[in-house]
Each structure stands twice: as C-alpha cells, then as structure tokens.
Amino acid sequence: MNASGAGVGTGAVDELPGELLMWVLIVSELLVFGAGLAAFLGVRITDPEGFAAARAHLYPALAGINTMVLISSGYLAARSLNLRENARRTAARWHLAAAMGLGVVFLVIKGYEFAQKAGVGISTETHPFFTFYYLLTGFHAAHVVAGIVILGLVAWKDEPRNIETGTAFWHMVDLVWVLLFPVIYLLG
C-alpha cells in the first residue's frame, strides 16, 4: 500500500488492455482450444492417411475466405477504439456494427459448410477427424456468437474501456481461428 492507503500497482497486469477478468476468460479459452488442437494432432499421428482422406472433404477456400472475414472484422473492432477515443462515437459504433456483421458472415459460411457435410452424411461418427472438426469449429462458432453479443454490448455501452475489453475477446476469437484454419484445413 502507498501513503494514501491505495494498493500499489501490480505491474504487467495493470498494463493489460480491458478488464482483468476478461483476460482470465481469454487465457482459459485459449488453453481449452490448445488442448483440443493438441488432441487433434495426437490422434492424427495414429492415422495420417485417414485424416488426409477426411480432410479432402473440406473446403479450404471457404475457410480461407472466413479467415479474411475474421481478420477484417478484428481490424474494424480495433479501429473502433481509436475512433471512440477521438470523440468519433458514431463512427466507432458503425465499425463495431460492421465487425459484428462480418461475424455473421463467418457464421453463414460455417453454417453452409456444416450443412453440406450433413447433407452427404458426414457426422462426428464418420471418422475421428470429423469428431474433432465439428467439436473444434463448432466450439469456435459458439465463441463467434458470444463475440457478436459482446461487441453489441460494447457498441451500446461504448466507453473506451468497454470497447477495449470487448475487442480483446474478439481478437481471441480471431487468434483461435488463425490457429484452427491451417491445422484442420491445410495440414496434409
């Protein structure tokens, strides 16, 4: 404690953008996704040919488009903070709305991909590859939905600290996809 009775800063934690509890959530989610990717890679080692054959049923080009969609969305969300800090509140809200819209585009593309797989009878039971595919990308899609809700809330309660906290979560969603995309769609 310092002379005024207030707590002394905790160093690096004080420098985190947004709220500490959001960072606890982000780190825990990254650990869950990391464990899922590690399990995917571990099982893949036991059946590389089967995983390669199963992966041939995916659409890497669509997943690549989704990657660009999320990266663009992350840029818009990050830009909203700068706009809000410079008293451009309406522009900041439009950027957040556009980021949310791109999140919806991501979900539509992912939904199309899931529907196509289901239409040809590919399920979690088809092959272990698809068990991981549906679990990891489905769990990620749930995070996209949560991120859209969070961005909507911070557009409504658009204090810079709120935007900073909400975009930190959205960037975690981006980061996870940037890791899932090559491992699931491109790894031969």
Side-chain angles (χ1 to χ4, degrees), residues 110-148:
K110 181 52 60 192
Y112 168 80
E113 190 178 358
F114 282 175
Q116 188 281 330
K117 300 288 169 286
V120 296
I122 296 174
S123 73
T124 58
E125 302 297 319
T126 303
H127 186 273
F129 174 90
F130 288 109
T131 303
F132 284 107
Y133 163 77
Y134 280 114
L135 288 174
L136 290 170
T137 62
F139 191 50
H140 178 264
H143 282 77
V144 173
V145 171
I148 291 169

Side-chain angles (χ1 to χ4, degrees), residues 86-116:
N86 288 297
R88 296 184 59 201
R89 190 175 199 180
T90 300
R93 285 179 165 169
W94 277 110
H95 275 68
L96 288 166
M100 292 165 57
L102 287 174
V104 171
V105 168
F106 177 92
L107 292 172
V108 168
I109 292 171
K110 181 52 60 192
Y112 168 80
E113 190 178 358
F114 282 175
Q116 188 281 330

Side-chain angles (χ1 to χ4, degrees), residues 36-55 127-129 132 182-188:
L37 281 171
F40 174 89
L41 292 169
V43 175
R44 182 185 175 278
I45 289 171
T46 67
D47 184 17
E49 294 83 16
F51 270 60
R55 188 184 56 75
H127 186 273
F129 174 90
F132 284 107
V183 171
I184 292 175
Y185 288 86
L186 303 177
L187 190 62

Side-chain angles (χ1 to χ4, degrees), residues 17-35:
E19 298 293 328
L20 177 60
L21 286 179
M22 180 60 79
W23 283 100
V24 170
L25 174 67
I26 288 169
V27 169
S28 66
E29 295 299 321
L30 288 174
L31 290 171
V32 169
F33 276 108

